[in-house]
Amino acid sequence: MSSFAAPIRNFRPEIQALRALAVLLVVIYHLEPRILPGGYIGVDIFLVISGFLITSHLLREAERTGRMDLLSFYAGRVRRILPAALLVIVVVVAGALLILPSTMWKSLGIQAVASALSVQNWVLAASSVDYLAAEEAPSALQHFWSLGVEEQFYVFWPLLVVAAYAGICRRWTTRALWIGFSATALASLAYSAYLGFTGDPSGYFVTTTRVWELAAGGLLALVAARRARSGQRILEGIPAVLRNVLVLFALAALAGAAFTYSGATAFPGIAALVPVLATVLIISAERTEGRLSLHPVVDSGPIQWVGAVSYSLYLWHWPLIVFATQLMGGDPGPLESVGLLALSLLLAQLSFRYVENPVRRWPALSRGAGRTVLAGAAAVGLVATLGFVPQQAQSALAEKQNEQAAELTRNPPPGFGAASLAQGAPAYLGENRQIVPMLSEASGDSPQIGDCVQKPQSEESKECEFGNTSAQTTIALVGDSHATHWYQAVQALVDANDWKLVTYLKDSCPFSTAQRTAEADGSISCSEANTETARRLAERGDIDVVLTANWAEPAYTSDPARGFAEAWSELEDAGINVISLVDTPRPALKGYARDCLAENPGDPQRCATPRAKALPPGDVTKEAGRLEPRVQVLDLTDEFCTSEDCPALVGNVLVYRDKHHVSDTYMRTVAPEFIERIQPLIDRDLGN
């Protein structure tokens, strides 16, 4: 957060202490989220501080000179923000090439470029609404999203001040500032509340939902400036003891949010009002004294030191956590967390002493604003270019493997993929160590059927047709993404019989009358789409069999087994036969199977999951089948697991493209056994 390094006139130790509190909330949340599930509110505290300090700086200059020197303003931001931030990006890129598996290099490189250009928040927002990208492992530069928000704020916020002071009548300047700041804050707050209400995950990152928090600090700066003209404090007239009580109340509100908020809280939205208003109140109280004052704590050396190094502490702590988690193969325990905190503080002090302060005071950058801005732009460009190195390195590795992978796919040897399960599921066939799909490209090894798979927020399941459109027999594939990942096997079945295939597929939406908790929270939309799908299936008149499957792990607001049985019964009553597939096993790994295999190419067994642990504990397919006995239930777990475990690599084929979706390549190798097992069930339904 750049607010750590924002310029301060008439140094205020209480703001330094507030910085210390904010950064510690964030760091503890990242290290031990179970202890402080709402510690992410520390970011909101920083945003308010930044809005207050930057606006105060702008107002002082405008009042003193009657104009705004934007070039000098941006030069100040360059000196204070870029040195430590760019250093961290460079170190993280180098560390990624040494520590992270090659499958993560491309993503890290993209985020390095985005971080250098201060648009990381928009990259993360785009990923958060991409169903397949939303589960990507956290990047070591993910925390730069908040820096992006502030940098973008610094671009347009001074322009509001310039516009106000450029008015014809100076007496209207203050009024123009109030109108401009208030309108910006209200519009942003309304949009933030809207995205929070609709459950849009991008709302957490986008600048438009966060500007109001910075604007709240800006509005407070207007109040402070007006009071200062008459030599008054912000809360002039309120007794000292009452101001102390207000500070304690605000701190209690922050503590309450930090301990009670969680990942399930719609945020920022209305919930962010608590940390924002509490921060405004603490800054308004200014220097406290007398009874109930916390100034002994505020003035203490350790607190002031943490506040001083808070910017560097924020920058360094997250990459350390990501790299440590990768090296340890899991989340750090309490002792490891203490060690990571100590190391973060050490790096923060070194960065503050040898990078932040020296560069900020470097005479070569202090002689001219234009020179400083040009130097900053050059440094940003250089580091952004460096971000392409991991991507190029991953591409180079992929290029070497591409021909071997293509040959394996064109001419699969005996035992390729699922065919080797009968021989004990060897990871590799003979001496060939090539994995298909290539690990660097595994995330894209999914059915390429475009918008035939609708997004979770869509209100419909699109109807698409494949195969012989004039066939006498029509099969429908219906359900969520775990129905979709059966597409290759179902397509092979349809092609083998010259049938027609109709799909109604929608990510995150199982075909059921039971409501998912995520829908009740507003994150997804399924009920209307499922109702419409059932209606169209019944009205078409040509659907002979519906094949359906679903992810077994979501939570529901009512009995899920009964919900599936009711949805199936509606189709059976309409004369449509239903066959339901038991959910596929999933790897119980901290990260992705592809990353694990990239780290352990010589020992793929380390990436396997014991069978009992891999079977989805929430799968109610068989229970639903007992409630609706007309439906046939097919369990193909043995096509993914041996009697002991469920491998991540079988016969040179990667089983999972992400945390729980089966790769297209592996599903194609499952197709022969799938056809052999399901054909008799369909023939029975068709009366053959």
Side-chain angles (χ1 to χ4, degrees):
M1 299 298 301
S2 57
S3 60
F4 296 96
I8 304 175
R9 292 284 184 84
N10 302 320
F11 176 74
R12 292 181 55 177
E14 68 274 12
I15 290 183
Q16 197 79 307
L18 199 51
R19 285 187 177 123
L21 172 63
V23 75
L24 290 176
L25 286 175
V26 173
V27 173
I28 294 172
Y29 164 67
H30 284 154
L31 285 170
E32 295 291 337
R34 290 169 295 182
I35 295 177
L36 208 62
Y40 53 78
I41 65 167
V43 171
D44 306 274
I45 297 173
F46 285 128
L47 292 177
V48 178
I49 294 173
S50 186
F52 174 74
L53 293 174
I54 289 301
T55 306
S56 297
H57 171 81
L58 293 170
L59 294 176
R60 278 193 301 270
E61 180 175 348
E63 285 290 323
R64 187 179 69 254
T65 66
R67 64 185 186 86
M68 269 296 303
D69 186 346
L70 291 179
L71 194 61
S72 294
F73 172 80
Y74 293 126
R77 307 284 67 70
V78 167
R79 288 192 296 269
R80 293 176 179 278
I81 298 168
L82 290 186
L86 295 181
L87 173 64
V88 170
I89 294 173
V90 171
V91 171
V92 167
V93 168
L97 295 173
L98 295 173
I99 298 173
L100 300 182
S102 59
T103 47
M104 300 175 71
W105 291 353
K106 181 178 180 180
S107 176
L108 188 281
I110 291 172
Q111 297 210 12
V113 175
S115 297
L117 298 177
S118 299
V119 293
Q120 172 73 296
N121 61 315
W122 292 102
V123 171
L124 291 176
S127 298
S128 70
V129 297
D130 182 339
Y131 180 77
L132 296 178
E135 293 185 339
E136 289 286 343
S139 160
L141 294 171
Q142 183 167 304
H143 62 318
F144 269 70
W145 74 267
S146 54
L147 192 61
V149 170
E150 288 204 34
E151 288 296 286
Q152 293 155 39
F153 171 78
Y154 293 155
V155 170
F156 77 88
W157 196 250
L159 300 180
L160 291 179
V161 179
V162 169
Y165 276 85
I168 298 175
C169 182
R170 285 293 301 276
R171 67 179 181 177
W172 288 91
T173 296
T174 302
R175 188 172 300 177
L177 287 171
W178 275 104
I179 293 173
F181 289 5
S182 299
T184 301
L186 290 174
S188 174
L189 176 57
Y191 187 58
S192 179
Y194 169 73
L195 290 189
F197 175 76
T198 59
D200 189 332
S202 69
Y204 189 85
F205 299 107
V206 294
T207 307
T208 44
T209 63
R210 296 285 185 168
V211 165
W212 71 272
E213 302 180 30
L214 291 140
L219 288 167
L220 178 59
L222 284 177
V223 175
R226 183 176 181 179
R227 292 282 192 173
R229 291 190 195 103
S230 56
Q232 295 180 320
R233 306 177 69 164
I234 298 176
L235 297 182
E236 187 73 26
I238 297 179
V241 67
L242 183 53
R243 285 192 290 112
N244 295 340
V245 170
L246 291 175
V247 169
L248 293 175
F249 172 78
L251 289 173
L254 291 175
F259 283 105
T260 61
Y261 285 7
S262 69
T265 305
F267 208 86
I270 299 301
L273 281 169
V274 173
V276 168
L277 295 180
T279 303
V280 167
L281 191 57
I282 292 172
I283 296 174
S284 299
E286 300 182 87
R287 178 73 174 175
T288 61
E289 55 189 15
R291 287 182 301 164
L292 302 179
S293 173
L294 295 177
H295 75 83
V297 177
V298 167
D299 294 342
S300 67
I303 293 296
Q304 290 296 305
W305 173 73
V306 173
V309 304
S310 53
Y311 178 46
S312 284
L313 178 56
Y314 181 85
L315 291 175
W316 286 109
H317 84 281
W318 180 246
L320 287 177
I321 293 173
V322 171
F323 287 155
T325 300
Q326 187 67 39
L327 291 171
M328 294 186 296
D331 293 330
L335 289 179
E336 289 89 353
S337 292
V338 172
L340 287 171
L341 175 59
L343 183 55
S344 298
L345 289 168
L346 174 61
L347 288 175
Q349 172 61 17
L350 293 174
S351 181
F352 178 73
R353 181 172 180 179
Y354 296 108
V355 179
E356 281 191 66
N357 280 339
V359 175
R360 187 170 68 245
R361 298 165 182 165
W362 191 20
L365 291 180
S366 302
R367 293 182 187 136
R371 177 185 298 182
T372 301
V373 171
L374 286 175
V380 166
L382 182 62
V383 174
T385 302
L386 181 65
F388 289 99
V389 172
Q391 302 177 59
Q392 293 300 318
Q394 184 170 323
S395 297
L397 287 175
E399 188 174 347
K400 292 181 180 179
Q401 301 169 355
N402 187 53
E403 183 54 40
Q404 287 181 304
E407 179 59 27
L408 269 178
T409 304
R410 284 193 301 266
N411 301 298
F416 186 63
S420 69
L421 283 164
Q423 288 76 48
Y428 298 111
L429 301 174
E431 298 301 316
N432 192 328
R433 292 296 187 266
Q434 179 59 52
I435 297 174
V436 181
M438 292 187 298
L439 298 179
S440 60
E441 299 178 359
S443 61
D445 195 39
S446 58
Q448 302 302 304
I449 53 178
D451 63 356
C452 290
V453 181
Q454 290 288 289
K455 300 297 183 183
Q457 293 79 21
S458 170
E459 295 183 356
E460 67 170 345
S461 293
K462 186 174 181 179
E463 180 181 274
C464 293
E465 294 189 1
F466 306 89
N468 183 358
T469 56
S470 60
Q472 296 300 308
T473 300
T474 302
I475 305 295
L477 179 62
V478 179
D480 60 14
S481 62
H482 276 228
T484 302
H485 74 195
W486 284 99
Y487 175 82
Q488 294 296 343
V490 175
Q491 183 67 64
L493 167 71
V494 169
D495 290 344
N497 289 277
D498 198 28
W499 290 339
K500 181 197 299 182
L501 172 62
V502 181
T503 62
Y504 301 89
L505 301 169
K506 189 171 188 296
D507 289 337
S508 294
C509 290
F511 185 63
S512 170
T513 61
Q515 184 186 53
R516 277 193 57 180
T517 303
E519 181 172 20
D521 293 341
S523 301
I524 60 176
S525 176
C526 298
S527 298
E528 291 183 13
N530 281 335
T531 299
E532 180 65 13
T533 294
R535 183 189 66 79
R536 283 186 286 176
L537 285 168
E539 290 181 354
R540 279 182 62 105
D542 65 339
I543 304 296
D544 297 290
V545 177
V546 165
L547 301 181
T548 186
N550 64 276
W551 185 35
E553 298 190 33
Y556 293 84
T557 60
S558 59
D559 183 356
R562 188 164 298 280
F564 286 113
E566 289 175 354
W568 301 344
S569 294
E570 185 177 349
L571 297 181
E572 291 282 354
D573 292 344
I576 300 173
N577 300 293
V578 178
I579 299 175
S580 183
L581 301 168
V582 172
D583 193 21
T584 49
R586 79 280 189 270
L589 299 170
K590 171 64 179 176
Y592 294 92
R594 62 180 188 257
D595 297 338
C596 180
L597 290 169
E599 290 185 290
N600 303 282
D603 188 13
Q605 186 58 32
R606 294 188 63 179
C607 306
T609 299
R611 179 171 176 137
K613 195 173 181 179
L615 299 179
D619 196 342
V620 297
T621 304
K622 293 180 180 179
E623 182 182 349
R626 288 189 289 271
L627 293 174
E628 177 42 275
R630 290 177 292 178
V631 171
Q632 301 185 84
V633 175
L634 179 59
D635 187 349
L636 289 165
T637 300
D638 289 343
E639 293 307 302
F640 302 89
C641 306
T642 66
S643 59
E644 297 179 354
D645 57 40
C646 301
L649 182 66
V650 178
N652 289 75
V653 179
L654 176 69
V655 180
Y656 303 98
R657 67 175 187 262
D658 55 25
K659 287 190 175 180
H660 50 81
H661 292 102
V662 177
S663 72
D664 259 20
T665 304
Y666 190 80
M667 193 60 81
R668 279 193 288 268
T669 71
V670 171
E673 185 65 21
F674 172 80
I675 294 173
E676 184 175 338
R677 296 277 301 277
I678 205 169
Q679 188 79 51
L681 303 184
I682 294 177
D683 289 343
R684 172 185 154 186
D685 283 338
L686 297 177
N688 296 336

